[in-house]
Every structure is written in C-alpha cells, then in structure tokens.
Amino acid sequence: MYFTGIIIAISTFLVIGFFHPIVIKAEYYYGTRPWWIFLCVGLGCLVCALFIANAMLSAVVGVVGASSLWAIGELFSQKKRVEKGWFPMNPRRRDEYQPIDKNETLCPVHKGRSIYAIDDEDNTDTGRQDGK
C-alpha cells in the first residue's frame, strides 16, 4: 500500500488550517503590511520545492508556498471582514480601517456590490417577484 497521497492530503489540510489563524493574527496586529513576507516565503518555498528530490517533502513544501501566496489575498480580505464587523478590530490601529457599505461583498467579480443587491436589481428589471 502507498500512503504518499494520504500523507500529502493530510499535510495540505494541516497547512491550510495552520495559515488560517496566522492570517487573522497578522492582520490584527500588523494590518496588511506583512503581505510581502507571505510573498517571499511563498516564492521561496516554491523555488525550494523544485530542488527537493523526495516527492512527498517537495509536495508539502510546495503546498506551504502556495498557501503562503494565497494568504496574501486572504490578508486583504481579512481587512474587509474586520471593516464589515465580522472580526474584532485592533483598537490601536482604528485609523487604518475605512468604513464600508454593509452591502459590499468581498468578491471582486461583482465590483463591490452584494450578490443579494444584484439579484434584487435583476428581479425589479423583469418585474418578477418570484426571483426567477
């Protein structure tokens, strides 16, 4: 039996779970300023993964690198979550946050409009009330 895939899957799950509180704490204490640290760590891990002969170790280091790069976007999204009131704001950095509209979404596809507001606009344009 080969356990490499299972070990990589469990490692990936643990790495992602490890980065979640790191992003929350980093944003709370430092704001979005440490994004470049995540960039350097991510690129460094990805480059290192290219030179590691052990497939399992290379995969795990690559996952750490990819998760670190993903954390950059999450760091900026975390700031929006704090501005929306979903997470606690650091009182020492209160002036760094901008008040945002409660209908604003974190999704860049909808250009800052809530998906619910978009649905409401579509329903009023067609004159239908049943949402179809």
Side-chain angles (χ1 to χ4, degrees):
M1 296 178 78
Y2 298 100
F3 293 100
T4 305
I6 300 293
I7 292 170
I8 291 171
I10 292 170
S11 299
T12 301
F13 180 75
L14 293 174
V15 167
I16 292 170
F18 180 71
F19 268 92
H20 180 71
I22 288 176
V23 167
I24 293 171
K25 295 294 184 184
E27 195 288 324
Y28 184 83
Y29 290 109
Y30 306 109
T32 56
R33 291 184 303 250
W35 72 268
W36 62 272
I37 296 172
F38 288 111
L39 178 67
C40 292
V41 169
L43 292 177
C45 285
L46 291 178
V47 169
C48 286
L50 293 172
F51 297 100
I52 297 174
N54 183 316
M56 191 174 352
L57 183 59
S58 177
V60 172
V61 171
V63 166
V64 170
S67 296
S68 185
L69 293 176
W70 184 268
I72 296 169
E74 284 300 311
L75 192 63
F76 288 94
S77 293
Q78 181 64 20
K79 181 180 179 192
K80 290 285 188 186
R81 292 182 200 113
V82 171
E83 289 171 344
K84 288 178 81 71
W86 296 351
F87 281 84
M89 180 184 300
N90 186 338
R92 290 186 225 144
R93 297 185 18 260
R94 188 174 300 276
D95 57 331
E96 294 180 25
Y97 297 104
Q98 303 294 323
I100 63 172
D101 182 16
K102 293 294 183 190
N103 289 328
E104 183 176 348
T105 181
L106 299 177
C107 179
V109 175
H110 297 293
K111 298 177 182 66
R113 296 185 308 167
S114 170
I115 58 172
Y116 303 110
I118 292 168
D119 288 343
D120 290 342
E121 290 173 8
D122 291 342
N123 290 341
T124 57
D125 290 342
T126 60
R128 298 183 72 167
Q129 299 298 323
D130 59 357
K132 294 182 182 178

